[in-house]
């Protein structure tokens, strides 16, 4: 007897993160939604070695490869192979709450046409360990999907659910040279689609392990913005004013830390404030530096020669 067709296709881009991928797949195997209702597609994007040992521990997981660098092209490859009517995107270094897919399925089933779902992304913390400065900072300032959706009209791709037919109308994610989630979200909104924030659709993401990793992330985001800029005299003047505003912004944003319900205790909030000051100062410097020193954007590696 032919097995039932899955309703949801979970698509995971992967690059040199086998341990994190294992944790992600473990969280998907523990979903409250029946396993026959969803398929899992991992798309490797040029790892030093394919994560076969991880894949083999989770039967039914499909492993594909995409040579074109970037999470966008990797996700597109997963969509090509998907058989579900719903596409659920998550990153290899994330863990899904046990009700992630169940909540997504029920919400999208009730949602009107042309609705795209984005969920809550929280910082993953190992139990019984003191919070680190980076965990405290990112708990407040990272992955603010509710803000992205309600104020900016787009959703990050680490917790994104869309009907396959709608994805086909909007079009694929673009390459490594732009912020593919912002670009895709803008195209979706232009096509008349609405993003809906779903608080019960929860994914956990680990904080960066080092300050360097966090700053590299901002290198990429700032370079994307510089690439997209018009570079007229007016644009450059506004860009420099924006850099100054970023430098001074901790004078106001400390309030977000000390009123946040995602970080407990004065010491943890002080740690977050320290990282905030460092990150904003670096961002301001980098905005000015990259304005006059154009560089290729990288996604964890050198750009693919093809």
């Amino acid at each position: 007897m032919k097995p039932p067709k899955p309703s949801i296709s979970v698509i995971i881009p992967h690059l040199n993160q086998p341990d994190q991928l294992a944790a992600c797949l473990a969280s998907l195997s523990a979903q409250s939604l029946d396993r026959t209702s969803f398929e899992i597609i991992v798309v490797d994007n040029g790892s030093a070695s394919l994560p076969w040992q991880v894949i083999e521990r989770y039967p039914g997981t499909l492993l594909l490869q995409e040579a074109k660098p970037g999470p966008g092209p990797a996700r597109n490859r997963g969509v090509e192979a998907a058989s579900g009517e719903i596409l659920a995107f998550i990153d290899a270094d994330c863990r899904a709450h046990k009700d992630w897919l169940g909540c997504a399925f029920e919400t999208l089933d009730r949602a009107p046409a042309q609705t795209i779902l984005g969920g809550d992304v929280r910082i993953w913390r190992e139990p019984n360990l003191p919070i680190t400065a980076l965990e405290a900072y990112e708990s407040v300032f990272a992955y603010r999907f509710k803000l992205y959706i309600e104020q900016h009209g787009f959703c990050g791709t680490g917790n994104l659910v869309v009907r396959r037919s709608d994805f086909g109308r909007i079009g694929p994610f673009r390459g490594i040279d732009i912020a593919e989630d912002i670009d895709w979200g803008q195209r979706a909104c232009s096509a008349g689609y609405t993003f809906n924030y779903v608080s019960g659709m929860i994914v956990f993401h680990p904080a960066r392990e080092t300050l360097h990793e966090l700053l590299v992330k901002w290198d990429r985001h700032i370079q994307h913005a510089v690439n997209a800029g018009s570079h007229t005299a007016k644009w450059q003047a506004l860009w420099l004013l924006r850099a100054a505003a970023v430098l001074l912004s901790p004078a106001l944003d400390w309030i977000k830390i000390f009123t946040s319900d995602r970080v407990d205790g004065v010491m943890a909030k002080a740690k977050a404030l320290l990282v905030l000051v460092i990150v904003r100062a670096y961002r301001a410097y980098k905005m000015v530096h990259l304005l006059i020193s154009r560089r290729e954007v990288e996604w964890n590696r050198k750009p693919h020669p093809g």
Side-chain angles (χ1 to χ4, degrees), residues 74-127:
R75 293 187 183 99
N76 295 337
R77 178 69 183 91
V79 172
E80 291 173 1
S83 57
E85 297 176 356
I86 298 171
L87 306 174
F89 296 99
I90 189 172
D91 291 337
D93 56 354
C94 292
R95 309 180 193 211
H97 186 280
K98 65 182 181 65
D99 296 324
W100 178 57
L101 288 177
C103 180
F105 182 79
E106 293 177 5
T107 304
L108 198 59
D109 186 56
R110 299 191 304 267
Q114 294 191 301
T115 298
I116 301 169
L117 306 183
D120 186 13
V121 178
R122 303 178 184 178
I123 294 300
W124 171 263
R125 289 181 54 204
E126 293 295 338

Side-chain angles (χ1 to χ4, degrees), residues 154-214:
F154 75 93
C155 175
T157 42
N159 190 358
L160 175 69
V161 176
V162 59
R163 295 180 179 98
R164 182 191 176 94
S165 57
D166 289 338
F167 184 90
R169 295 185 187 99
I170 297 165
F173 297 108
R174 291 182 179 162
I176 199 172
D177 57 331
I178 62 171
E180 83 283 348
D181 50 359
I182 298 176
D183 170 79
W184 191 86
Q186 290 173 340
R187 284 188 281 130
C189 291
S190 297
Y193 287 85
T194 300
F195 284 82
N196 182 18
Y197 175 74
V198 184
S199 60
M201 215 173 84
I202 301 169
V203 160
F204 298 93
H205 193 292
R208 272 77 180 180
E209 294 184 0
T210 66
L211 183 61
H212 174 73
E213 291 180 12
L214 181 59

